[in-house]
Amino acid sequence: MSRPRVALAFSGGLDTSFCAVWLREELGADVVTVTVDTGGASAADLERVSGRARELGAVEHRTEDGREETFDRFVRVLVQGNVLRGGVYPLSVAAERVVQAERVVRVAREVGAVGVAHGSTAAGNDQCRFDAVFGALAPDLPIHAPVRSLGWSRERQAAYLAERGIEVSRETRDYSVNAGLWGTTIGGRETHDPWQEIPDAAFPAAAAPSDDLSREVIVGFEQGVPVRLDGQRLGGAALVEAVGAIGRSFGVGRGVHIGETVLGIKGRIGFEAPAPLVLIAAHRELEKLVLTRWQSFWKDQLASFYGQMLHEGLYHDPVMRDIEALMVSSQAKVTGDAR
């Protein structure tokens, strides 16, 4: 007798590793893991995640490339709108979660899954983002979120896996790291205390040393979309990655954001996002040359609202398409170079 299939959004970290095993053992499901590369992962990283899925007993693993989609559908709008939550944080995770959740639903349909799953906690924003997309696109599929429903600590999840011979690194237990095209976020330990600084070791890689004290960068835009770096035309994802590498070498883009979570409580995360901060700053200065006072005023209001809706996982609300249309219209003359 065949077992029911569940499609799990899978990163290979502690939470989703726990989910893969729990769904198989406690729910009696055949787990299909889905990893969507929205940037920030090397080929070796993706291979390790695939191997992890097999180690955990997944009956099938899918790796999906969502980098260009992330740029085309989200990054271009966030740049055109100069969207920074709280004036500092570039929504590094929210947009990518939409792409990831959509791909999980697509795979669930392809493999005949009777449910979808994610490893989000009860305290964070990601649970709302996954739930919103799953509910909009697959209202017929039950949503399984073991980490949220059980309320187990990271230490207890690690112990559950260790009892089954599956080891979890100490670093993975201490921090939740989300690396993507639009930046990396860090949660855990020091992020829970606003008086503590997040150590350099918590980030995936230390800032690369640079022999230069400064570096001139020229970003070329066409109707508000970055398309060239130092005169070379690049694809969207490649351009973001290139700007990110330059910025990281100068220690640009690290910060801490404290703000409202979707649940209405305060949240604090560390982030490293050199590309968004460089590209948005460049775009904003170019835009000042050509937009009228009232274009800028109304675009800023709607961009802030757009960022809030995306932050809360409400991308599929039709109002988002209306705001995107205004963004495109406002950028008709935003073409040129910013240095």
Side-chain angles (χ1 to χ4, degrees):
M1 183 176 179
S2 62
R3 290 153 54 102
R5 287 195 162 197
V6 172
L8 167 66
F10 186 73
S11 68
L14 173 59
D15 291 327
T16 57
S17 294
F18 166 74
C19 287
V21 177
W22 191 92
L23 290 167
R24 177 169 53 84
E25 293 196 2
E26 312 299 335
L27 194 65
D30 281 343
V31 180
V32 177
T33 50
V34 185
T35 298
V36 184
D37 177 16
T38 50
S42 66
D45 293 332
L46 296 173
E47 184 57 37
R48 281 193 293 271
V49 172
S50 177
R52 182 69 163 176
R54 293 191 294 271
E55 176 191 1
L56 298 169
V59 297
E60 184 180 346
H61 177 75
R62 298 278 190 96
T63 299
E64 303 260 324
D65 188 346
R67 290 172 297 173
E68 287 301 334
E69 182 180 359
T70 299
F71 180 88
D72 290 338
R73 291 176 58 195
F74 298 95
V75 169
R76 64 170 59 225
V77 181
L78 295 175
V79 172
Q80 289 175 330
N82 305 317
V83 180
L84 294 172
R85 189 164 176 80
V88 296
Y89 173 57
L91 289 176
S92 298
V93 175
E96 294 162 9
R97 290 293 183 262
V98 175
V99 176
Q100 292 162 357
E102 289 177 345
R103 296 291 186 95
V104 170
V105 170
R106 183 188 305 174
V107 171
R109 298 300 192 197
E110 291 174 357
V111 302
V114 298
V116 289
H118 60 76
S120 305
T121 71
N125 296 318
D126 281 346
Q127 58 172 331
C128 301
R129 295 163 182 157
F130 278 111
D131 285 358
V133 175
F134 289 164
L137 302 184
D140 56 310
L141 296 180
I143 300 171
H144 302 285
V147 176
R148 175 175 64 190
S149 58
L150 294 172
W152 287 7
S153 66
R154 294 180 70 80
E155 289 74 16
R156 187 172 178 184
Q157 292 179 62
Y160 177 91
L161 293 175
E163 290 170 1
R164 289 152 179 81
I166 302 168
E167 293 302 318
V168 177
S169 70
R170 180 76 254 176
E171 181 181 285
T172 302
R173 299 185 198 186
D174 291 340
Y175 298 103
S176 176
V177 180
N178 291 290
L181 181 68
W182 206 226
T184 298
T185 61
I186 312 293
R189 286 187 58 177
E190 294 84 3
T191 64
H192 301 308
D193 182 348
W195 200 247
Q196 290 196 46
E197 182 178 359
I198 300 170
D200 184 73
F203 291 86
S210 175
D211 295 331
D212 299 323
L213 295 178
S214 64
R215 160 80 185 270
E216 180 179 272
V217 174
I218 299 177
V219 182
F221 293 86
E222 291 181 1
Q223 296 186 331
V225 179
V227 296
R228 291 183 306 278
L229 176 61
D230 293 333
Q232 181 183 2
R233 193 173 190 91
L234 296 171
L239 187 146
V240 172
E241 290 169 350
V243 173
I246 295 170
R248 193 173 297 109
S249 72
F250 287 89
V252 171
R254 285 190 179 181
V256 177
H257 171 59
I258 300 177
E260 305 293 337
T261 68
V262 181
L263 303 178
I265 60 176
K266 295 292 184 181
R268 181 176 186 254
I269 58 169
F271 64 89
E272 180 185 74
L277 298 187
V278 170
L279 292 175
I280 287 175
H283 172 264
R284 183 187 292 115
E285 293 307 304
L286 180 64
E287 192 180 56
K288 288 178 182 179
L289 292 171
V290 293
L291 261 61
T292 69
R293 171 187 178 186
W294 293 115
Q295 278 182 302
S296 296
F297 175 84
W298 285 112
K299 190 176 76 70
D300 288 348
Q301 312 308 307
L302 290 174
S304 177
F305 177 77
Y306 186 93
Q308 177 178 319
M309 291 285 283
L310 185 59
H311 173 72
E312 296 181 358
L314 300 176
Y315 173 79
H316 291 97
D317 190 304
V319 73
M320 300 292 272
R321 309 292 81 77
D322 299 332
I323 297 174
E324 288 164 357
L326 181 138
M327 292 294 178
V328 170
S329 174
S330 74
Q331 301 297 294
K333 297 183 182 298
V334 187
T335 294
D337 293 338
R339 181 176 62 196

